[in-house]
Structures are given as structure tokens and as C-alpha cells.
Amino acid sequence: MSLETNDDQNPVGNRMEPVMNVGKQCAVYLAVVAALAGGVAFFGPFDRVPAIAQEQTSVPLEGEFDMLAPLDAADESASKDIAVFYVTGAAAQKMWEAFPMEPVQDECVGRLSKYGNGIVCYGANGDGTPADPAFECSFGIDMKDQSLTLPHDC
């Protein structure tokens, strides 16, 4: 048996050809992946431009938070299960504007108010003068049954 360079008669050469093709295919695959990754890195910031250009809808919260006993608690030692939120500033104004009802005069505080389902928002004073703060909303969350509740009464 003699070693010839004829590929048809060289079984070792024929066995190496698929391995060489796989290597070439891997190289092409890796080149495509690298090009795509480079494209994503280059064009990635451009796909965020529309989101940045959209109107900003979230605003920082201003106000206060407290844990209080329910309004109908029998005594001062009742458990404080009501998470109370007092929202002021731009967030309160957005809440005021989102309430679908017409404002009514609230005799307890002397301001125009919008009330519904455990949330109350206040706007201008009843005499038309500006209030301080201009808008405020308050609501409580009963942590025991996870429902909205008024945090205070008149």
C-alpha cells in the first residue's frame, strides 16, 4: 500500500473535509454574531429615542405618610393598620384633574373637593383664593383587607 496524494484514494483526507467545513461554518457564524452584536451596540441607543421623546408621565411624589388606627377604633391603643398617604404637588394636581366629578364645597376644610371610594382631593379655597398647597389628595389603605379607606373624617 502506498500513500498517494489522490483524495479519492486517501481515506484520511476525505474524513478531514467535513471537519474543515464545520470549522469554516463556525467561523462564518461567529463573524455574523459579532457583526450583529456590533450593530446592536451601535444602533441600540437609537431605538430608545422615541421612548425618551414621549411625554414624561411620572412625577416625583411629594407629601407625607403615616400609619394610623381605623377611624372607628374604640380606643387609642388600637392597632395602626391604615397606611395613610398625603400627596401634594404635581402628583396631587394630576389626581385632581383625573377625578371625573365636579368639585364641591367641603365645609370641613373650606376648600373645593373631589371625593370617591376612599380618596379625597382638595383644590382651591371655597372663596376662590389659592390654597396652600394648591392641590392635595389623601387616602388610606386598610392593610388588613387591602381596601381604600378615608384616613380622616370631618
Side-chain angles (χ1 to χ4, degrees):
M1 181 176 240
S2 67
L3 292 174
E4 296 179 8
T5 59
N6 185 350
D7 287 339
D8 293 336
Q9 295 178 358
N10 186 348
V12 174
N14 289 340
R15 281 187 278 151
M16 291 301 289
E17 186 174 326
V19 172
M20 295 300 288
N21 284 339
V22 168
K24 289 176 186 174
Q25 289 173 350
C26 285
V28 169
Y29 173 76
L30 291 174
V32 168
V33 168
L36 288 173
V40 168
F42 179 75
F43 290 110
F46 296 126
D47 69 353
R48 288 188 214 111
V49 172
I52 293 171
Q54 293 177 0
E55 179 184 344
Q56 180 69 26
T57 58
S58 62
V59 295
L61 285 179
E62 298 173 39
E64 297 177 17
F65 169 82
D66 201 355
M67 292 294 293
L68 300 175
L71 290 175
D72 59 357
D75 58 44
E76 297 286 324
S77 64
S79 63
K80 296 182 177 183
D81 298 327
I82 308 296
V84 179
F85 296 85
Y86 298 98
V87 181
T88 58
Q93 182 175 358
K94 284 187 173 215
M95 291 174 69
W96 171 269
E97 292 166 356
F99 257 120
M101 72 282 297
E102 290 296 317
V104 295
Q105 179 66 32
D106 188 321
E107 288 127 19
C108 290
V109 295
R111 293 178 72 175
L112 295 176
S113 68
K114 294 182 178 183
Y115 164 78
N117 295 329
I119 301 173
V120 63
C121 287
Y122 298 108
N125 290 324
D127 60 6
T129 61
D132 186 32
F135 296 95
E136 63 181 310
C137 297
S138 61
F139 59 93
I141 300 174
D142 186 328
M143 300 306 288
K144 285 186 177 180
D145 63 9
Q146 297 85 41
S147 63
L148 288 175
T149 184
L150 279 176
H152 52 79
D153 59 2
C154 191

